[in-house]
Amino acid sequence: MTAGSAGPVSAGPGPAMLRKGGGGGSAGPGAGAVAPGGGSRRGSLPALVSAHPLDEQLPAVFADDDFALRFVSGLDIVLAPVFTVLDCLEAYFTPALAPEDFLGWLTDWVGTELDGTEPLPLRRHAVASAVALHRVRGTRRGLSAAVELAFGVRPRITESGGATWSARPLGPFPGASRPALHVTLRVPDPAAVDPYRLRSVVAAARPAHLPFTAEVTALPSPEGT
């Protein structure tokens, strides 16, 4: 899934507010940009106009009151980002458009197996696919998908379980007598992969009752090289 770019330049309703902004795809005031200290800079934007100016809602007796008009115009500056966020609220919960700082909350809410250091497009994809992954959590398919999502490489999985059938009763049970699970991640540079991170992902996505081991190994060299 590719990251969409968004961020309001006006307080008008509709998708027009999702056209311009800083960072890799965002919505709402401040374009969802992340401040150097790690916090959000979402707030008032220069020349941001309120979608519902208060001076138009004042009683007629205040229509020519300069002080009242100037007073409520100050409140409009405070309320304009609020209205803009509400107008863009759907985009905040759309993984392709959510501001980067808000996306961090979404990754926690949907229970992704990420640590926040992954590239932004990968985090957006993880949030978008979280529900599908939860459906297969604890299965071989779910474990493989979780590891591949976190490291970009499909792992090799060996396990003790098995399945078979027999035309006669009391046939031998398939698989090994001792439960076990082993995950191997083959990458060009094993030193670039954190083995503890791999263990953490496997521990979260494996069948809960299975003891496991995990290792990172180098890709075998092509023959003749």
Side-chain angles (χ1 to χ4, degrees):
M1 179 176 292
T2 56
S5 61
V9 293
S10 67
M17 289 183 293
L18 307 180
R19 298 302 181 192
K20 182 179 180 182
S26 57
V34 179
S40 172
R41 296 188 306 189
R42 187 174 297 106
S44 181
L45 289 174
L48 182 63
V49 180
S50 173
H52 306 282
L54 295 178
D55 58 357
E56 297 179 358
Q57 305 175 44
L58 291 176
V61 68
F62 294 108
D64 295 327
D65 189 324
D66 181 66
F67 172 78
L69 294 178
R70 287 187 290 110
F71 180 80
V72 297
S73 67
L75 298 178
D76 284 336
I77 296 176
V78 176
L79 294 175
V82 178
F83 292 135
T84 307
V85 169
L86 293 177
D87 286 340
C88 297
L89 192 59
E90 181 180 356
Y92 280 80
F93 296 94
T94 303
L97 298 176
E100 184 174 353
D101 57 331
F102 195 83
L103 186 69
W105 293 346
L106 290 181
T107 57
D108 292 336
W109 292 349
V110 300
T112 62
E113 306 299 339
L114 303 179
D115 60 4
T117 62
E118 297 80 5
L120 182 60
L122 178 59
R123 282 181 279 153
R124 294 188 186 280
H125 174 67
V127 173
S129 59
V131 173
L133 285 179
H134 286 318
R135 293 194 183 106
V136 293
R137 192 182 186 93
T139 67
R140 184 190 186 100
R141 174 186 168 192
L143 174 59
S144 178
V147 173
E148 185 175 7
L149 181 63
F151 297 96
V153 178
R154 186 177 296 273
R156 181 179 180 181
I157 300 175
T158 56
E159 55 182 321
S160 57
T164 188
W165 69 279
S166 175
R168 298 182 179 181
L170 303 179
F173 283 99
S177 58
R178 297 183 61 182
L181 171 69
H182 183 71
V183 178
T184 303
L185 192 65
R186 295 181 175 182
V187 295
D189 182 14
V193 177
D194 183 0
Y196 298 101
R197 171 71 178 139
L198 175 61
R199 286 183 55 84
S200 175
V201 173
V202 174
R206 68 186 168 101
H209 67 286
L210 275 182
F212 74 94
T213 55
E215 65 174 344
V216 181
T217 62
L219 281 171
S221 300
E223 294 184 4
T225 59

